[in-house]
């Protein structure tokens, strides 16, 4: 319901005006996972690698218009990198290709991939939450990774985060 406004031109409703939040239903903690063979070991190294290899790094999601797809697109824009989105029909298909090295990284729900991280088949390099996730306590939030442009403090002026964006 919330995401639809960013994906279609005309909405039959206004989510801000026409609905009142009643309860938090749930939260999906997403993370960026890389294959065990990928040369980068951290979020900052992944951004650097993608910048040095424009159009050669692919990331998977579970489809066009999903929050994972939009996260990948946003990170690409904020970090000024050119990478290739590969939409999959399901998370298991994407994980199979990520573990097999057919794609370099994936945006995926963290709990789905923890067993693969524990078995050293994948590495998690950043969570998309503002704090560390219980499922991946050693993995920093992207905003904590020290990469300019991934986040700015609340109340930041447009000129300050525009400067950060240009610097990355």
């Amino acid at each position: 319901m919330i995401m639809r406004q960013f994906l279609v031109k005309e909405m039959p409703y206004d989510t801000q005006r026409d609905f009142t939040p009643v309860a938090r239903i749930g939260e999906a903690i997403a993370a960026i996972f890389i294959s065990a063979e990928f040369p980068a070991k951290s979020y900052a190294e992944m951004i650097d690698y993608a910048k040095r290899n424009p159009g050669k790094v692919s990331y998977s999601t579970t489809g066009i218009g999903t929050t994972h797809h939009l996260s990948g697109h946003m990170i690409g824009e904020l970090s000024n990198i050119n990478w290739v989105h590969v939409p999959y029909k399901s998370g298991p298909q994407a994980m199979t290709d990520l573990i097999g090295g057919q794609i370099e990284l994936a945006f995926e729900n963290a709990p789905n991939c923890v067993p693969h991280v524990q078995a050293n088949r994948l590495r998690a390099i950043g969570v998309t939450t503002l704090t560390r996730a219980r499922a991946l306590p050693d993995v920093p939030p992207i905003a904590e990774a020290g990469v300019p442009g991934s986040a700015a403090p609340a109340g930041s002026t447009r000129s300050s985060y525009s400067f950060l964006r240009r610097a990355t």
Side-chain angles (χ1 to χ4, degrees):
M1 190 166 74
I2 299 294
M3 296 304 295
R4 188 165 189 236
Q5 65 188 320
F6 302 109
L7 302 173
V8 298
K9 289 182 182 181
E10 293 185 33
M11 290 282 292
Y13 54 83
D14 180 317
T15 54
Q16 299 289 325
R17 183 192 68 225
D18 298 339
F19 297 94
T20 299
V22 176
R24 184 181 205 162
I25 296 170
E27 177 182 50
I29 297 175
I32 301 172
F33 296 93
I34 56 177
S35 65
E37 293 79 30
F38 192 69
K41 305 286 188 243
S42 68
Y43 178 79
E45 289 179 16
M46 181 271 298
I47 295 293
D48 182 58
Y49 182 85
K51 283 183 177 184
R52 288 184 286 110
N53 296 279
K56 294 181 181 174
V57 175
S58 59
Y59 71 94
S60 73
T61 67
T62 52
I64 296 171
T66 62
T67 54
H68 297 151
H69 173 217
L70 298 177
S71 294
H73 182 76
M74 181 188 74
I75 289 170
E77 289 291 314
L78 290 173
S79 301
N80 196 29
I81 57 175
N82 175 18
W83 52 6
V84 179
H85 174 232
V86 181
Y88 280 78
K89 291 182 181 179
S90 73
Q93 289 174 326
M95 288 303 99
T96 298
D97 282 357
L98 182 61
I99 291 167
Q102 284 79 29
I103 53 174
E104 288 79 21
L105 60 117
F107 287 81
E108 183 58 66
N109 291 330
N112 298 346
C113 299
V114 170
H116 299 297
V117 171
Q118 292 169 337
N120 295 317
R121 290 187 292 264
L122 297 177
R123 290 193 306 263
I125 58 171
V127 292
T128 58
T129 54
L130 294 176
T131 58
R132 290 178 184 247
R134 270 189 239 140
L136 296 164
D138 297 329
V139 180
I142 294 168
E144 187 184 301
V147 179
S150 59
S156 296
T157 63
R158 186 169 186 83
S159 62
S160 68
Y161 63 76
S162 292
F163 169 78
L164 291 173
R165 185 179 295 168
R166 285 190 308 275
T168 58

